[in-house]
Amino acid sequence: MSAPFAKLPAWADYVLIPLVNVTAAFLVSGLVVLFIGENPIEAVKLLVWGALGFGEGIGFTLFYATNFIFTGLAVAVAFHAGLFNIGGEGQAYVGGLGVALAALALDRIVPWWVTFPLAIAGSIVFGAAWAFIPAWLQAKRGSHIVITTIMFNFIAASLMVYLLVEYFSPPGSMAPETRTFDAGGTLPKLGGLFEFFGLDIGGAPANISLFAALAACVFVYYLIWRTKVGYEIRTTGFNPTAAIYAGISPARITIVTMLISGALAGMMALNPIMGDQQRMQLEFVGGAGFVGIAVALMGRSHPVGVILAAVLFGMLYQGGAELAFEKPKISRDMIVVIQALVILFAGALEHMFRPAISRAFAALAGGQPQTVADAGEGA
Amino acid sequence: MTDKTMSPPDLPGAGTAPPAIELIGIDKSFGPVRANRDINMAVGKGTIHGIVGENGAGKSTLMSILYGFYQADAGEIRINGQPAVIRSSEQAIAAGIGMVHQHFMLVYPFTVLENVILGVEGGALLGEGIADAHKELERLEREYELQVDPEAIVGELPVGLQQRVEILKALYRGAETLILDEPTSVLTPAEADHLFRVLKQLRDQGKTVILITHKLREIMAVTDNVSVMRRGEIVATMKTAETSPEKLAELMVGRSVLLQVDKGPAKIGRPLLEVENLTAVDERGVTRLADVSFTVHAGEIVGIAGVAGNGQSALLEVIAGIRHAKSGRILVDGKPIGVTGGSSPAAVRARALAHVPEDRHGMGLVTAFEESENSILGYHSDTQYLSGPFLNIESIRADALEKIEKYDIRPPDNRLKTANFSGGNQQKIVLAREMERDPDILLVGQPTRGVDIGAIEFIHRQLIAMRDAGKAILLVSVELDEIRSLSDRILVMFAGRVVGERGPDASEGELGLMMAGIDSREEAA
């Protein structure tokens, strides 16, 4: 039986409902803050100020948002094929190999703008390769991709520790990280752009990989809604039986989609490695792969939604750090609680307010309710 | 424009006693959708009351309100003249209302007896309850001709007997009023006849029966009174004896409809689809098709009759390349397709074979897509819809709009989400897509399932037009009437085999026997 709810206008579906969900999450967060004896309004003020109140804050927010756009897109693309890729963390981690290899090989020879495209290609190849194995196992052996991609996160972590310690760590160093790249392996910061708006980026690491992330959004939009393979991905995601009927091979789509998804996750490595640290360190992904799941859910797997959700989570990361600094009672863990509440309301409880909002729209629309044919299927 | 609802005393069987069930001013909306509006209906005690209406007319919603699944927004339910509050199925059962759902609510690994006492075991220990249930079941079986072995495993019983268990369950719980939702959709004609005998017996013993169906023939055969629903309202309630199928159809649709199909004699051409000794096994190793052979010629419709689940689906899927066969051959226009491996939906489509699948929601459409996206499903690799790797959106939408006009798909909106079209219009989307490719061979499964009468007329005309244009059509339907009125030859399938072939003038009784696996003439197809 089809959902007997009113069809909402697109703006309500894509803007109003997420907004209501986020507001609900913040209200509950406010109660938690109140519970530990802090003033929630002050906390929100601090959080927003920390994220957007000054140039450096904005720079950090955008830096985090760049990570989340990549990983959010990766999850979103897989969603369209009905696949739940929770291996973004591992794919981004292994994608870092491609970035680091390109930078280590070229940073002393060529300028950054030669290294950059090769590093992108490297991140794509390694990220996609890491996604290929679970994809192949799903397509050919029926091993569930949720299980395999999670397992591959752990394998990636172990593999990277091994490689960093055994191969990348420069001689004489105890740190499990590569050497620091020279200028040819470093992406320009967005300081100039910030100055244009009269802001001072300070020490914030926002860099031009943000534009690579935005380009990836455009790419994903065209891929999913404007290409034949995107059509096949969506058909498979919505109705695998119809896909088979239409002559689409779900196995092929599973592999193609996961390669694209893994490539997008892999590109996330550009931002911390070439954009910020100028070296590849242990754990540089830092949970961005998992935040990507929330970003994709909240952004409804649409690139525009992914950007908005990524910025919101970037704000939570940066503003949260600022808040924890200013209010010692609100620890880092509290910020995680707030993030969890946002994920809970925006992701898991996405449809909680929908019936009420539908009714409100129906009441506002007034007029005569019409009897729609799908009110009682199979009567 | 339609008959006014009669007041309860006019109904036969009501007499001076209050009606068994009376619905007064029932209103129910889902969001802005008004599924039931101002429903007034009285069902006399000891009568069989039919409710007919197209899909989405609100029949199921109304019965769900009566059975406590939904609460009405307004209105009152009276049982034997007393106002009743029914907020759950438990309360409905306590009020003496039992329901036999279209999809059975049975625990298949349990025995008949265990199913019957489920939820009314009568204590923590089963012993006493089972002894009582045995006695009660024997009584029910004697009184109502409802023989079932109480120790049989329900999952191993034929569908007709499973339905009997559902009826027993309701009676065991003391139902005085029995609601049956599309009870014959899974039955052979003989099983349906038996069911009707049971219902009449129940009525004669003073029980009240409400029968929901879209088959007008059943209404005429078994009911005393009939209510017609359209667009959430009851447009007429009358004595069955005083109406006719044509009149009921007109009330359901709101205009006069042609129930009979007009067609001339078939001009048979060369064989286009030849199926030879086809055998197919499913994933679990169950044989779905056993040595099936037949031929469909240009210019004819070959109908496959049979109770659902006797191999028809597998047959369509093998021919369409969706499923591979274990052995056998299929020739399309004289040349084989690799049915045991190698054939694929895309390859078969390239051989000018189009397929309207039985299950349009499950297979034929992506209901989350907008209409135009569904109008290219399966043909999305055609150059006319592409420019390079990109979809040619303008061409796709223009093409969809053309089909919408030609097939009168409503609303005429190629951007509307497919799920928001009615069943009939969804079916037209599939038919338009497959027929407009001008295929040589058309496979059609259940072309009018869940489709309203107005659209059925249109679909039947389209199929006849294709036949007359020299196409070979293989029609699978569980509606025997449809098979008989459209087909030039009828094959009957039972347990994966073709048990026989008949002409379109074969009697329903004869076909019904064959559908139960009995071929009176013992001839090969």
Side-chain angles (χ1 to χ4, degrees), chain B residues 410-442:
Chain B
R410 288 181 209 184
D413 180 356
N414 59 358
R415 304 289 311 275
L416 185 66
K417 202 171 124 185
T418 309
N420 294 336
F421 286 88
S422 70
N425 283 299
Q426 289 175 347
Q427 187 70 351
K428 283 185 186 177
I429 295 171
V430 179
L431 285 164
R433 181 181 74 212
E434 301 302 325
M435 287 181 167
E436 283 306 290
R437 302 296 298 190
D438 197 25
D440 293 338
I441 303 167
L442 184 67

mmCIF file of all heavy atoms in Angstrom, chain B residues 410-442:
data_model
loop_
_atom_site.group_PDB
_atom_site.id
_atom_site.type_symbol
_atom_site.label_atom_id
_atom_site.label_comp_id
_atom_site.label_asym_id
_atom_site.label_seq_id
_atom_site.Cartn_x
_atom_site.Cartn_y
_atom_site.Cartn_z
ATOM 1 N N ARG B 410 -3.401 9.058 -17.947
ATOM 2 C CA ARG B 410 -3.805 10.206 -17.130
ATOM 3 C C ARG B 410 -3.206 10.140 -15.736
ATOM 4 O O ARG B 410 -3.176 9.067 -15.161
ATOM 5 C CB ARG B 410 -5.333 10.240 -17.022
ATOM 6 C CG ARG B 410 -5.950 10.663 -18.317
ATOM 7 C CD ARG B 410 -7.423 10.696 -18.163
ATOM 8 N NE ARG B 410 -8.025 10.416 -19.470
ATOM 9 C CZ ARG B 410 -9.331 10.449 -19.676
ATOM 10 N NH1 ARG B 410 -10.132 10.709 -18.684
ATOM 11 N NH2 ARG B 410 -9.810 10.187 -20.854
ATOM 12 N N PRO B 411 -2.811 11.267 -15.135
ATOM 13 C CA PRO B 411 -2.770 12.582 -15.786
ATOM 14 C C PRO B 411 -1.675 12.640 -16.854
ATOM 15 O O PRO B 411 -0.695 11.929 -16.747
ATOM 16 C CB PRO B 411 -2.446 13.525 -14.630
ATOM 17 C CG PRO B 411 -1.772 12.666 -13.621
ATOM 18 C CD PRO B 411 -2.345 11.301 -13.759
ATOM 19 N N PRO B 412 -1.851 13.478 -17.867
ATOM 20 C CA PRO B 412 -0.867 13.523 -18.954
ATOM 21 C C PRO B 412 0.381 14.301 -18.542
ATOM 22 O O PRO B 412 0.682 15.357 -19.079
ATOM 23 C CB PRO B 412 -1.624 14.229 -20.090
ATOM 24 C CG PRO B 412 -2.636 15.061 -19.397
ATOM 25 C CD PRO B 412 -2.986 14.372 -18.107
ATOM 26 N N ASP B 413 1.099 13.764 -17.569
ATOM 27 C CA ASP B 413 2.248 14.476 -17.015
ATOM 28 C C ASP B 413 3.451 13.549 -17.038
ATOM 29 O O ASP B 413 3.536 12.604 -16.246
ATOM 30 C CB ASP B 413 1.914 14.902 -15.570
ATOM 31 C CG ASP B 413 3.060 15.645 -14.914
ATOM 32 O OD1 ASP B 413 4.139 15.771 -15.544
ATOM 33 O OD2 ASP B 413 2.892 16.092 -13.769
ATOM 34 N N ASN B 414 4.383 13.791 -17.961
ATOM 35 C CA ASN B 414 5.521 12.878 -18.090
ATOM 36 C C ASN B 414 6.579 13.086 -17.000
ATOM 37 O O ASN B 414 7.568 12.399 -16.949
ATOM 38 C CB ASN B 414 6.161 12.988 -19.484
ATOM 39 C CG ASN B 414 6.650 14.395 -19.765
ATOM 40 O OD1 ASN B 414 6.489 15.305 -18.948
ATOM 41 N ND2 ASN B 414 7.231 14.590 -20.936
ATOM 42 N N ARG B 415 6.375 14.077 -16.115
ATOM 43 C CA ARG B 415 7.314 14.284 -15.016
ATOM 44 C C ARG B 415 6.764 13.738 -13.706
ATOM 45 O O ARG B 415 7.440 13.757 -12.686
ATOM 46 C CB ARG B 415 7.617 15.780 -14.841
ATOM 47 C CG ARG B 415 8.138 16.486 -16.080
ATOM 48 C CD ARG B 415 9.553 16.068 -16.449
ATOM 49 N NE ARG B 415 10.461 16.108 -15.314
ATOM 50 C CZ ARG B 415 11.110 17.195 -14.904
ATOM 51 N NH1 ARG B 415 10.964 18.327 -15.541
ATOM 52 N NH2 ARG B 415 11.926 17.148 -13.867
ATOM 53 N N LEU B 416 5.530 13.299 -13.701
ATOM 54 C CA LEU B 416 4.911 12.820 -12.459
ATOM 55 C C LEU B 416 5.529 11.481 -12.049
ATOM 56 O O LEU B 416 5.814 10.633 -12.885
ATOM 57 C CB LEU B 416 3.402 12.648 -12.664
ATOM 58 C CG LEU B 416 2.587 12.273 -11.427
ATOM 59 C CD1 LEU B 416 2.601 13.412 -10.408
ATOM 60 C CD2 LEU B 416 1.145 11.944 -11.814
ATOM 61 N N LYS B 417 5.713 11.316 -10.741
ATOM 62 C CA LYS B 417 6.245 10.060 -10.224
ATOM 63 C C LYS B 417 5.289 8.923 -10.560
ATOM 64 O O LYS B 417 4.074 9.050 -10.365
ATOM 65 C CB LYS B 417 6.426 10.189 -8.709
ATOM 66 C CG LYS B 417 7.403 9.223 -8.128
ATOM 67 C CD LYS B 417 7.684 9.581 -6.680
ATOM 68 C CE LYS B 417 7.389 8.377 -5.826
ATOM 69 N NZ LYS B 417 7.501 8.616 -4.412
ATOM 70 N N THR B 418 5.826 7.833 -11.051
ATOM 71 C CA THR B 418 4.991 6.745 -11.556
ATOM 72 C C THR B 418 4.074 6.170 -10.485
ATOM 73 O O THR B 418 2.960 5.753 -10.771
ATOM 74 C CB THR B 418 5.893 5.640 -12.140
ATOM 75 O OG1 THR B 418 6.802 6.249 -13.039
ATOM 76 C CG2 THR B 418 5.081 4.606 -12.869
ATOM 77 N N ALA B 419 4.548 6.156 -9.228
ATOM 78 C CA ALA B 419 3.731 5.616 -8.152
ATOM 79 C C ALA B 419 2.425 6.395 -7.995
ATOM 80 O O ALA B 419 1.450 5.886 -7.453
ATOM 81 C CB ALA B 419 4.507 5.643 -6.833
ATOM 82 N N ASN B 420 2.402 7.631 -8.489
ATOM 83 C CA ASN B 420 1.200 8.447 -8.311
ATOM 84 C C ASN B 420 0.173 8.259 -9.422
ATOM 85 O O ASN B 420 -0.856 8.920 -9.425
ATOM 86 C CB ASN B 420 1.586 9.929 -8.215
ATOM 87 C CG ASN B 420 2.396 10.211 -6.964
ATOM 88 O OD1 ASN B 420 2.299 9.468 -5.994
ATOM 89 N ND2 ASN B 420 3.201 11.245 -6.983
ATOM 90 N N PHE B 421 0.463 7.368 -10.366
ATOM 91 C CA PHE B 421 -0.547 7.020 -11.356
ATOM 92 C C PHE B 421 -1.401 5.874 -10.807
ATOM 93 O O PHE B 421 -0.934 5.087 -9.985
ATOM 94 C CB PHE B 421 0.108 6.573 -12.668
ATOM 95 C CG PHE B 421 0.704 7.690 -13.479
ATOM 96 C CD1 PHE B 421 2.005 8.102 -13.267
ATOM 97 C CD2 PHE B 421 -0.043 8.341 -14.447
ATOM 98 C CE1 PHE B 421 2.564 9.133 -14.010
ATOM 99 C CE2 PHE B 421 0.500 9.375 -15.194
ATOM 100 C CZ PHE B 421 1.804 9.779 -14.972
ATOM 101 N N SER B 422 -2.635 5.785 -11.285
ATOM 102 C CA SER B 422 -3.478 4.662 -10.859
ATOM 103 C C SER B 422 -2.994 3.383 -11.532
ATOM 104 O O SER B 422 -2.231 3.428 -12.499
ATOM 105 C CB SER B 422 -4.926 4.935 -11.240
ATOM 106 O OG SER B 422 -5.053 4.866 -12.641
ATOM 107 N N GLY B 423 -3.451 2.241 -11.027
ATOM 108 C CA GLY B 423 -3.021 0.955 -11.558
ATOM 109 C C GLY B 423 -3.236 0.850 -13.072
ATOM 110 O O GLY B 423 -2.366 0.395 -13.804
ATOM 111 N N GLY B 424 -4.388 1.288 -13.523
ATOM 112 C CA GLY B 424 -4.699 1.201 -14.939
ATOM 113 C C GLY B 424 -3.755 2.041 -15.783
ATOM 114 O O GLY B 424 -3.290 1.631 -16.847
ATOM 115 N N ASN B 425 -3.461 3.222 -15.294
ATOM 116 C CA ASN B 425 -2.567 4.094 -16.055
ATOM 117 C C ASN B 425 -1.129 3.606 -15.998
ATOM 118 O O ASN B 425 -0.385 3.750 -16.966
ATOM 119 C CB ASN B 425 -2.687 5.535 -15.552
ATOM 120 C CG ASN B 425 -3.950 6.198 -16.073
ATOM 121 O OD1 ASN B 425 -4.121 6.328 -17.278
ATOM 122 N ND2 ASN B 425 -4.854 6.550 -15.184
ATOM 123 N N GLN B 426 -0.738 3.018 -14.885
ATOM 124 C CA GLN B 426 0.596 2.415 -14.819
ATOM 125 C C GLN B 426 0.706 1.310 -15.857
ATOM 126 O O GLN B 426 1.712 1.183 -16.552
ATOM 127 C CB GLN B 426 0.856 1.852 -13.423
ATOM 128 C CG GLN B 426 1.057 2.927 -12.374
ATOM 129 C CD GLN B 426 1.199 2.352 -10.980
ATOM 130 O OE1 GLN B 426 0.916 1.183 -10.744
ATOM 131 N NE2 GLN B 426 1.624 3.176 -10.055
ATOM 132 N N GLN B 427 -0.348 0.508 -15.946
ATOM 133 C CA GLN B 427 -0.326 -0.579 -16.916
ATOM 134 C C GLN B 427 -0.240 -0.025 -18.335
ATOM 135 O O GLN B 427 0.448 -0.572 -19.180
ATOM 136 C CB GLN B 427 -1.582 -1.449 -16.744
ATOM 137 C CG GLN B 427 -1.591 -2.700 -17.587
ATOM 138 C CD GLN B 427 -0.562 -3.718 -17.117
ATOM 139 O OE1 GLN B 427 0.274 -3.435 -16.267
ATOM 140 N NE2 GLN B 427 -0.601 -4.899 -17.676
ATOM 141 N N LYS B 428 -0.923 1.092 -18.571
ATOM 142 C CA LYS B 428 -0.848 1.707 -19.900
ATOM 143 C C LYS B 428 0.567 2.206 -20.184
ATOM 144 O O LYS B 428 1.007 2.190 -21.334
ATOM 145 C CB LYS B 428 -1.827 2.880 -19.992
ATOM 146 C CG LYS B 428 -3.274 2.463 -20.166
ATOM 147 C CD LYS B 428 -4.087 3.721 -20.363
ATOM 148 C CE LYS B 428 -5.567 3.485 -20.419
ATOM 149 N NZ LYS B 428 -6.270 4.787 -20.539
ATOM 150 N N ILE B 429 1.273 2.661 -19.160
ATOM 151 C CA ILE B 429 2.655 3.109 -19.367
ATOM 152 C C ILE B 429 3.499 1.936 -19.871
ATOM 153 O O ILE B 429 4.263 2.055 -20.828
ATOM 154 C CB ILE B 429 3.252 3.677 -18.060
ATOM 155 C CG1 ILE B 429 2.502 4.952 -17.640
ATOM 156 C CG2 ILE B 429 4.735 3.976 -18.224
ATOM 157 C CD1 ILE B 429 2.878 5.470 -16.257
ATOM 158 N N VAL B 430 3.303 0.761 -19.224
ATOM 159 C CA VAL B 430 4.060 -0.421 -19.644
ATOM 160 C C VAL B 430 3.649 -0.835 -21.058
ATOM 161 O O VAL B 430 4.495 -1.097 -21.921
ATOM 162 C CB VAL B 430 3.831 -1.595 -18.664
ATOM 163 C CG1 VAL B 430 4.596 -2.821 -19.123
ATOM 164 C CG2 VAL B 430 4.260 -1.200 -17.261
ATOM 165 N N LEU B 431 2.342 -0.887 -21.290
ATOM 166 C CA LEU B 431 1.856 -1.325 -22.604
ATOM 167 C C LEU B 431 2.333 -0.379 -23.701
ATOM 168 O O LEU B 431 2.776 -0.825 -24.764
ATOM 169 C CB LEU B 431 0.330 -1.388 -22.600
ATOM 170 C CG LEU B 431 -0.273 -2.577 -21.868
ATOM 171 C CD1 LEU B 431 -1.745 -2.336 -21.602
ATOM 172 C CD2 LEU B 431 -0.086 -3.849 -22.679
ATOM 173 N N ALA B 432 2.277 0.904 -23.436
ATOM 174 C CA ALA B 432 2.709 1.877 -24.442
ATOM 175 C C ALA B 432 4.174 1.661 -24.768
ATOM 176 O O ALA B 432 4.574 1.657 -25.945
ATOM 177 C CB ALA B 432 2.485 3.300 -23.930
ATOM 178 N N ARG B 433 4.979 1.452 -23.738
ATOM 179 C CA ARG B 433 6.407 1.264 -23.943
ATOM 180 C C ARG B 433 6.675 0.024 -24.802
ATOM 181 O O ARG B 433 7.466 0.056 -25.736
ATOM 182 C CB ARG B 433 7.089 1.101 -22.579
ATOM 183 C CG ARG B 433 8.579 0.917 -22.645
ATOM 184 C CD ARG B 433 9.136 0.751 -21.250
ATOM 185 N NE ARG B 433 8.821 -0.555 -20.700
ATOM 186 C CZ ARG B 433 8.612 -0.787 -19.402
ATOM 187 N NH1 ARG B 433 8.670 0.189 -18.525
ATOM 188 N NH2 ARG B 433 8.332 -2.008 -18.985
ATOM 189 N N GLU B 434 5.990 -1.069 -24.465
ATOM 190 C CA GLU B 434 6.279 -2.333 -25.157
ATOM 191 C C GLU B 434 5.627 -2.394 -26.530
ATOM 192 O O GLU B 434 6.211 -2.907 -27.472
ATOM 193 C CB GLU B 434 5.836 -3.512 -24.295
ATOM 194 C CG GLU B 434 6.501 -3.576 -22.932
ATOM 195 C CD GLU B 434 8.030 -3.640 -23.001
ATOM 196 O OE1 GLU B 434 8.551 -4.266 -23.951
ATOM 197 O OE2 GLU B 434 8.698 -3.049 -22.135
ATOM 198 N N MET B 435 4.404 -1.884 -26.655
ATOM 199 C CA MET B 435 3.694 -2.006 -27.930
ATOM 200 C C MET B 435 4.216 -1.015 -28.958
ATOM 201 O O MET B 435 4.253 -1.314 -30.151
ATOM 202 C CB MET B 435 2.203 -1.779 -27.726
ATOM 203 C CG MET B 435 1.503 -2.927 -27.031
ATOM 204 S SD MET B 435 -0.254 -2.542 -26.883
ATOM 205 C CE MET B 435 -0.894 -4.143 -26.421
ATOM 206 N N GLU B 436 4.628 0.158 -28.514
ATOM 207 C CA GLU B 436 5.073 1.170 -29.467
ATOM 208 C C GLU B 436 6.412 0.824 -30.099
ATOM 209 O O GLU B 436 6.875 1.509 -30.993
ATOM 210 C CB GLU B 436 5.138 2.546 -28.790
ATOM 211 C CG GLU B 436 3.773 3.190 -28.609
ATOM 212 C CD GLU B 436 2.992 3.264 -29.918
ATOM 213 O OE1 GLU B 436 3.375 4.043 -30.781
ATOM 214 O OE2 GLU B 436 2.000 2.516 -30.061
ATOM 215 N N ARG B 437 7.074 -0.226 -29.602
ATOM 216 C CA ARG B 437 8.299 -0.675 -30.254
ATOM 217 C C ARG B 437 7.973 -1.474 -31.504
ATOM 218 O O ARG B 437 8.869 -1.877 -32.223
ATOM 219 C CB ARG B 437 9.112 -1.577 -29.307
ATOM 220 C CG ARG B 437 9.470 -0.936 -28.033
ATOM 221 C CD ARG B 437 10.381 0.224 -28.246
ATOM 222 N NE ARG B 437 11.644 -0.165 -28.850
ATOM 223 C CZ ARG B 437 12.675 0.644 -28.967
ATOM 224 N NH1 ARG B 437 12.574 1.879 -28.543
ATOM 225 N NH2 ARG B 437 13.790 0.237 -29.515
ATOM 226 N N ASP B 438 6.688 -1.714 -31.710
ATOM 227 C CA ASP B 438 6.237 -2.498 -32.848
ATOM 228 C C ASP B 438 6.946 -3.853 -32.910
ATOM 229 O O ASP B 438 7.590 -4.194 -33.902
ATOM 230 C CB ASP B 438 6.477 -1.722 -34.161
ATOM 231 C CG ASP B 438 5.651 -2.305 -35.289
ATOM 232 O OD1 ASP B 438 4.610 -2.912 -34.978
ATOM 233 O OD2 ASP B 438 6.055 -2.170 -36.449
ATOM 234 N N PRO B 439 6.844 -4.638 -31.845
ATOM 235 C CA PRO B 439 7.529 -5.936 -31.829
ATOM 236 C C PRO B 439 6.794 -6.944 -32.710
ATOM 237 O O PRO B 439 5.637 -6.735 -33.045
ATOM 238 C CB PRO B 439 7.434 -6.355 -30.359
ATOM 239 C CG PRO B 439 6.157 -5.723 -29.891
ATOM 240 C CD PRO B 439 6.019 -4.419 -30.656
ATOM 241 N N ASP B 440 7.482 -8.025 -33.076
ATOM 242 C CA ASP B 440 6.819 -9.111 -33.802
ATOM 243 C C ASP B 440 6.069 -10.005 -32.830
ATOM 244 O O ASP B 440 5.039 -10.574 -33.148
ATOM 245 C CB ASP B 440 7.853 -9.957 -34.551
ATOM 246 C CG ASP B 440 8.512 -9.169 -35.669
ATOM 247 O OD1 ASP B 440 7.901 -8.179 -36.109
ATOM 248 O OD2 ASP B 440 9.638 -9.533 -36.063
ATOM 249 N N ILE B 441 6.661 -10.159 -31.646
ATOM 250 C CA ILE B 441 6.075 -11.046 -30.648
ATOM 251 C C ILE B 441 5.848 -10.242 -29.387
ATOM 252 O O ILE B 441 6.721 -9.472 -28.964
ATOM 253 C CB ILE B 441 7.025 -12.220 -30.335
ATOM 254 C CG1 ILE B 441 7.366 -12.992 -31.616
ATOM 255 C CG2 ILE B 441 6.410 -13.144 -29.284
ATOM 256 C CD1 ILE B 441 8.525 -13.934 -31.439
ATOM 257 N N LEU B 442 4.682 -10.408 -28.796
ATOM 258 C CA LEU B 442 4.399 -9.714 -27.542
ATOM 259 C C LEU B 442 4.031 -10.752 -26.483
ATOM 260 O O LEU B 442 3.121 -11.550 -26.678
ATOM 261 C CB LEU B 442 3.244 -8.726 -27.742
ATOM 262 C CG LEU B 442 2.898 -7.855 -26.536
ATOM 263 C CD1 LEU B 442 4.024 -6.885 -26.218
ATOM 264 C CD2 LEU B 442 1.613 -7.090 -26.796
#
